[in-house]
Amino acid sequence: MPVELDPLLFGEIDPPQRLLMGPGPVNAHPRVLRAMSADLLGQFDPEMTGYMEQVMALYRPIFGTQNRWTMLVDGTARAGIEAALVSLVAPGETVLIVNFGRFGLLLTEILTRIGARIETVEAPWGEVVPLAAIEEAIARTSPRLVATIHGDTSTTMAQPLEGFGALCRAAGALSYVDATATIGGMELAADRWDVDVVTGGLQKCLGGPSGSAPITISDAAAEHIFARRHTEAGIRMKGLEDGQGPRIASNYFDLAMIMDYWSEKRLNHHTEATSMLYAARECARVALGEGLAARYDRHTRSGRAMAAGLRAMGLTVFGDDAHRMTNVTGVHIPDSVDGEAVRAMLRVSFEIEIGTAFGPLQGRIWRLGAMGYNAMKHKVLITLGALEASLRAHGFVLPLGQAVPAAIEAWDSAGVGETA
Amino acid sequence: MPVELDPLLFGEIDPPQRLLMGPGPVNAHPRVLRAMSADLLGQFDPEMTGYMEQVMALYRPIFGTQNRWTMLVDGTARAGIEAALVSLVAPGETVLIVNFGRFGLLLTEILTRIGARIETVEAPWGEVVPLAAIEEAIARTSPRLVATIHGDTSTTMAQPLEGFGALCRAAGALSYVDATATIGGMELAADRWDVDVVTGGLQKCLGGPSGSAPITISDAAAEHIFARRHTEAGIRMKGLEDGQGPRIASNYFDLAMIMDYWSEKRLNHHTEATSMLYAARECARVALGEGLAARYDRHTRSGRAMAAGLRAMGLTVFGDDAHRMTNVTGVHIPDSVDGEAVRAMLRVSFEIEIGTAFGPLQGRIWRLGAMGYNAMKHKVLITLGALEASLRAHGFVLPLGQAVPAAIEAWDSAGVGETA
């Protein structure tokens, strides 16, 4: 039944102070929340376009790129994915999807609606796809685009991408990487990987709210997209010729128009989501202020500490250990406990959220994240202590008091990351 | 040239305190800005889904509807438009567009990309389309959908919609109204108008930031959309059967999946943009707390005061006086002045933004808005005083000191609105 309108209009916004240790969204950095309280600006005010230019500059190092076209799509991370795919791919074109989890399936889903001819190269959930298999699949399928996921939170696996873009380029294919779950937490190297388009979101390792999707586009991909430019009749201007390529199937996600909006042409498209742009800007300032190497190291330590603590409880960590994401850890739910009851106790007694799972892993694993503002030693330790108590309360027999010291040792061990 | 990364990361967010008296975006209500600073929640936390239910309840009176499916699309107002159209219309279906400005052209643009067969019934910029012309066009074209704009800021015209939905329904057509520029400022009456889908945005009369698009969907339209349901392979569940209709061409804008996400099924789709949801909730609380009738009256007084002041300066208000929007006023730029120079003086000397114009009206009119938190007597008076001084500084000869008293008189005159 629909909720009835409360005469008191439901009261002031007052969410519980909950520690979000799932696969995202996670708690935002307080600086990011405060940045969103800044007053708004007209979308073509010089200060506003100045902030847009700053956002472009701030996200280049985060993506590991010099790409001019580095900006935001106004929507959640999924909006960035669809904008990339609908702008790159025309109906009937072949796309090779490197699929190892739910978000690979999402690429398939979006591309099916675009009308692409879809080929896949797959790994079982919990593994990644070897580069040699990708190379073989490219040779077999001659794709226009190769699309993959960097870190797929559904399986906690991180696909290695060194050499990926070169394989695509050698075969004349463009490349796309969804980095929603890794941006700001694991190194992105768009230029070194030689990939064409990478998209992300704020709500995981960047420590911001969902609702803005950073994107970077290589010059080659931008040229491909501009060849499909069809400017709206209401705002055509001199010097903006329509392209000869097939019209992009979405207006909102037309990256040619979005690039024209973010260029000095300032062609009107959507009305930029100003508060979310402020949030994206502050996320990047926090990340670059910390230093990316230090930030990635912090995530690495968090992931290792989490895994060490879980193992010290006698639990089994999920997936190929060599390719696990640093910022989210899957763990098998013991047969003897009701996973949802344990999760509920964590939420109700400890105000801590950990994640459930999708598809074939639903009911089989939990997913524990330590992302962005939550990738901190004390938050990992608190979560492990609370999980131990909750498991014990549900009758699971485990060695008491081992998880936290094991996690501390893993966190403190030298040589973990680049700056350790 | 791209902006280089500043070693100080461009400093704290610190926009100028500018009074935004254009056609939107406008300044947000301070309560809305503060609401966005609340901490985040997991997307399926009971408190989060509770807030989602509250948002549904809060937007029903704002849309003038009892529709169960009243919610948010995560993106700017344009995202709401595209979600409505791509979910309602399949390729090859006929859509009749009631077009009287730039945003009617935008409907054409979006529907062309969707592959609709487009028919139009038009009015010159500055007029609206008579109901009889719409009726004739429906009879002539037998559309599946009739789509229009409530208030088109490009021309400042408000299309009368009493009886509109009944005409469509009688002909077996669904109906769509883009109310981006009027929601929260002029009465919306989705149920009384008998229209199927209405969308809006926060950044105009609701006094919030761009980035969230409220939408309401009639049961008939929801049934039509659910017949096109195709749930993602990664998250299929029992009891959710795929429909027999043609698959919706977008994943992100698939209203069937978005309704399933906002229903008690809580089917995972995007990650709800939590901070924007908080903003949308607070916008509605502010509006309903004020009272909608009082709020519409405040916008009516603002528009009348603005027009009276402009006329007292000897300027000519643009467009059919009987159908002007209450919240934005077009005015002809005198031949003797450089419109952009006057706008620049308003911005630089007074920190006031007024709007330029699009297409055939570019360089011919300014657009002065008084929307949401800015639809206030003192802001209208300040703007008129500043415009008078700026026009005079640019050599325009006008009767001095007449605009403000004329505006005060218009504001204070009895019988303006429902609660005057």
Side-chain angles (χ1 to χ4, degrees):
Chain A
M1 281 303 296
V3 161
E4 292 297 316
L5 192 63
D6 184 313
L8 296 174
L9 303 174
F10 305 117
E12 301 295 314
I13 187 88
D14 189 17
Q17 189 178 24
R18 186 159 296 149
L19 182 59
L20 304 178
M21 300 296 280
V26 299
N27 303 87
H29 195 292
R31 277 177 50 190
V32 176
L33 296 176
R34 287 198 300 269
M36 282 189 288
S37 294
D39 204 358
L40 302 182
L41 286 168
Q43 61 177 328
F44 298 112
D45 272 1
E47 295 81 6
M48 179 66 187
T49 56
Y51 283 141
M52 292 171 75
E53 290 284 332
Q54 292 175 6
V55 164
M56 296 177 95
L58 288 162
Y59 276 87
R60 289 190 189 104
I62 289 174
F63 278 115
T65 189
Q66 301 288 330
N67 287 338
R68 172 180 181 184
W69 299 112
T70 303
M71 52 204 186
L72 305 175
V73 173
D74 282 11
T76 73
R78 180 180 290 235
I81 299 171
E82 187 159 324
L85 296 178
V86 78
S87 296
L88 288 170
V89 180
E93 291 184 340
T94 300
V95 180
L96 174 65
I97 298 169
V98 181
N99 172 19
F100 54 99
R102 184 225 159 158
F103 291 98
L105 290 175
L106 177 60
L107 299 183
T108 307
E109 199 74 25
I110 294 170
L111 284 160
T112 301
R113 291 169 190 245
I114 291 168
R117 220 173 64 71
I118 291 166
E119 301 278 356
T120 55
V121 53
E122 303 192 339
W125 285 34
E127 301 178 21
V128 298
V129 184
L131 209 60
I134 298 173
E135 184 171 20
E136 185 279 324
I138 291 173
R140 174 170 54 81
T141 61
S142 302
R144 185 75 195 86
L145 175 76
V146 185
T148 193
I149 309 291
H150 186 208
D152 194 318
T153 53
S154 72
T155 70
T156 74
M157 290 297 109
Q159 174 68 37
L161 291 171
E162 301 289 346
F164 170 72
L167 283 184
C168 302
R169 208 171 292 276
L174 293 167
S175 54
Y176 166 72
V177 174
D178 169 16
T180 302
T182 51
I183 188 170
M186 292 180 71
E187 189 197 11
L188 302 188
D191 287 358
R192 198 180 72 234
W193 295 340
D194 203 14
V195 298
D196 287 299
V197 180
V198 186
T199 66
L202 305 187
Q203 78 274 15
K204 298 185 191 268
C205 301
L206 282 171
S210 172
S212 180
I215 186 171
T216 191
I217 303 169
S218 72
D219 288 347
E223 189 181 335
H224 178 77
I225 294 165
F226 279 132
R228 303 179 66 187
R229 178 197 268 140
H230 282 75
T231 303
E232 289 169 32
I235 53 164
R236 290 220 179 101
M237 59 191 280
K238 291 189 189 95
L240 268 188
E241 304 309 321
D242 278 357
Q244 299 304 307
R247 186 181 288 219
I248 293 167
S250 166
N251 175 290
Y252 192 73
F253 291 135
D254 182 328
L255 289 177
M257 286 202 288
I258 294 172
M259 287 188 281
D260 285 335
Y261 179 57
W262 283 75
S263 79
E264 71 287 349
K265 299 187 190 89
R266 299 289 168 207
L267 201 70
N268 189 254
H269 181 246
H270 61 285
T271 298
E272 183 61 16
T274 313
S275 302
M276 288 305 305
L277 179 127
Y278 292 169
R281 179 180 180 276
E282 195 67 12
C283 284
R285 292 180 73 245
V286 169
L288 297 178
E290 175 179 6
L292 290 175
R295 191 174 179 91
Y296 300 147
D297 178 66
R298 180 161 62 79
H299 282 84
T300 301
R301 288 174 186 270
S302 296
R304 295 216 181 169
M306 189 72 87
L310 294 167
R311 285 175 170 141
M313 283 186 228
L315 301 176
T316 305
V317 169
F318 173 78
D320 175 4
D321 216 44
H323 296 109
R324 289 195 297 101
M325 295 166 68
T326 59
N327 47 29
V328 59
T329 306
V331 64
H332 287 273
I333 302 169
D335 290 339
S336 60
V337 303
D338 174 349
E340 286 307 289
V342 173
R343 286 210 320 133
M345 180 169 173
L346 278 166
R347 178 169 58 78
V348 173
S349 293
F350 295 94
E351 292 290 349
I352 295 174
E353 180 190 79
I354 66 169
T356 177
F358 293 116
L361 296 176
Q362 194 168 14
R364 289 183 51 213
I365 70 168
W366 293 307
R367 294 176 300 153
L368 289 87
M371 295 180 170
Y373 191 59
N374 288 354
M376 292 198 202
K377 188 174 182 177
H378 72 283
K379 296 184 182 180
V380 172
L381 300 182
I382 287 167
T383 301
L384 289 166
L387 179 61
E388 177 179 317
S390 301
L391 277 168
R392 192 181 182 209
H394 284 81
F396 182 65
V397 178
L398 77 175
L400 295 179
Q402 300 303 307
V404 166
I408 292 173
E409 189 184 341
W411 182 285
D412 291 341
S413 66
V416 168
E418 295 174 51
T419 62
Chain B
M1 283 301 296
V3 162
E4 293 297 314
L5 192 63
D6 185 312
L8 297 174
L9 303 174
F10 305 118
E12 301 294 313
I13 187 88
D14 190 18
Q17 189 178 23
R18 185 159 295 149
L19 182 59
L20 304 178
M21 301 297 280
V26 299
N27 302 87
H29 195 294
R31 276 175 52 189
V32 175
L33 296 176
R34 287 198 299 270
M36 282 190 287
S37 295
D39 204 359
L40 303 182
L41 286 167
Q43 62 176 326
F44 298 113
D45 272 2
E47 295 81 4
M48 178 67 188
T49 55
Y51 283 141
M52 292 171 75
E53 291 284 333
Q54 292 175 6
V55 164
M56 297 177 95
L58 288 163
Y59 276 88
R60 288 190 189 103
I62 289 174
F63 278 114
T65 188
Q66 301 288 329
N67 288 339
R68 174 183 178 182
W69 300 113
T70 303
M71 54 205 183
L72 306 174
V73 173
D74 282 9
T76 72
R78 180 181 291 235
I81 299 171
E82 186 159 324
L85 296 179
V86 77
S87 296
L88 288 170
V89 180
E93 291 183 341
T94 300
V95 180
L96 175 64
I97 298 169
V98 181
N99 172 20
F100 53 100
R102 185 223 159 160
F103 291 98
L105 291 175
L106 178 61
L107 300 183
T108 306
E109 198 74 25
I110 294 170
L111 284 159
T112 300
R113 292 171 188 243
I114 290 168
R117 219 173 64 71
I118 291 166
E119 301 278 356
T120 54
V121 53
E122 303 193 339
W125 285 36
E127 302 178 21
V128 299
V129 183
L131 209 61
I134 299 174
E135 185 170 19
E136 185 278 324
I138 291 174
R140 173 170 53 82
T141 60
S142 301
R144 185 76 197 85
L145 176 75
V146 185
T148 194
I149 309 291
H150 186 209
D152 194 317
T153 53
S154 71
T155 70
T156 73
M157 289 297 108
Q159 175 68 38
L161 292 170
E162 300 291 345
F164 169 72
L167 283 185
C168 302
R169 207 171 292 277
L174 294 167
S175 54
Y176 166 72
V177 174
D178 168 17
T180 302
T182 52
I183 188 171
M186 293 180 70
E187 189 196 9
L188 302 188
D191 287 358
R192 197 180 72 235
W193 296 339
D194 204 13
V195 298
D196 287 297
V197 180
V198 185
T199 65
L202 306 187
Q203 78 275 14
K204 296 183 190 273
C205 301
L206 282 171
S210 172
S212 180
I215 186 171
T216 191
I217 304 169
S218 73
D219 288 347
E223 188 180 336
H224 177 76
I225 294 166
F226 279 132
R228 303 179 67 188
R229 179 197 269 142
H230 281 76
T231 303
E232 289 170 30
I235 53 166
R236 289 219 179 101
M237 59 190 282
K238 291 188 189 95
L240 268 190
E241 304 309 322
D242 277 356
Q244 299 303 307
R247 185 180 288 217
I248 293 167
S250 167
N251 175 290
Y252 191 74
F253 291 135
D254 182 327
L255 288 176
M257 286 202 288
I258 294 173
M259 287 188 281
D260 285 336
Y261 179 58
W262 283 75
S263 80
E264 72 286 348
K265 298 187 190 90
R266 299 289 169 206
L267 201 69
N268 188 254
H269 182 247
H270 62 285
T271 298
E272 183 60 18
T274 313
S275 302
M276 288 305 307
L277 179 127
Y278 293 169
R281 178 180 181 277
E282 195 67 12
C283 284
R285 293 180 72 245
V286 169
L288 297 177
E290 176 177 7
L292 290 175
R295 191 174 181 90
Y296 300 148
D297 177 65
R298 179 162 62 80
H299 281 84
T300 300
R301 288 174 187 271
S302 297
R304 295 216 182 170
M306 189 73 86
L310 293 167
R311 285 175 170 141
M313 284 186 229
L315 301 176
T316 305
V317 169
F318 174 79
D320 174 5
D321 216 45
H323 297 108
R324 287 194 298 103
M325 296 165 66
T326 59
N327 47 30
V328 59
T329 305
V331 64
H332 287 274
I333 302 169
D335 290 338
S336 60
V337 303
D338 173 349
E340 286 308 287
V342 172
R343 287 212 318 134
M345 180 169 174
L346 279 167
R347 176 168 59 76
V348 173
S349 294
F350 295 94
E351 293 289 346
I352 295 174
E353 180 191 81
I354 67 170
T356 177
F358 293 115
L361 296 176
Q362 193 167 14
R364 288 182 51 212
I365 69 167
W366 292 308
R367 294 176 300 154
L368 288 88
M371 296 179 169
Y373 191 60
N374 289 354
M376 292 199 203
K377 187 175 183 177
H378 71 284
K379 296 183 183 181
V380 172
L381 300 182
I382 286 167
T383 301
L384 289 166
L387 179 62
E388 176 179 317
S390 301
L391 277 168
R392 194 183 180 209
H394 284 81
F396 182 64
V397 179
L398 77 175
L400 295 180
Q402 301 302 307
V404 166
I408 292 173
E409 188 183 340
W411 182 287
D412 291 342
S413 65
V416 169
E418 295 174 50
T419 62

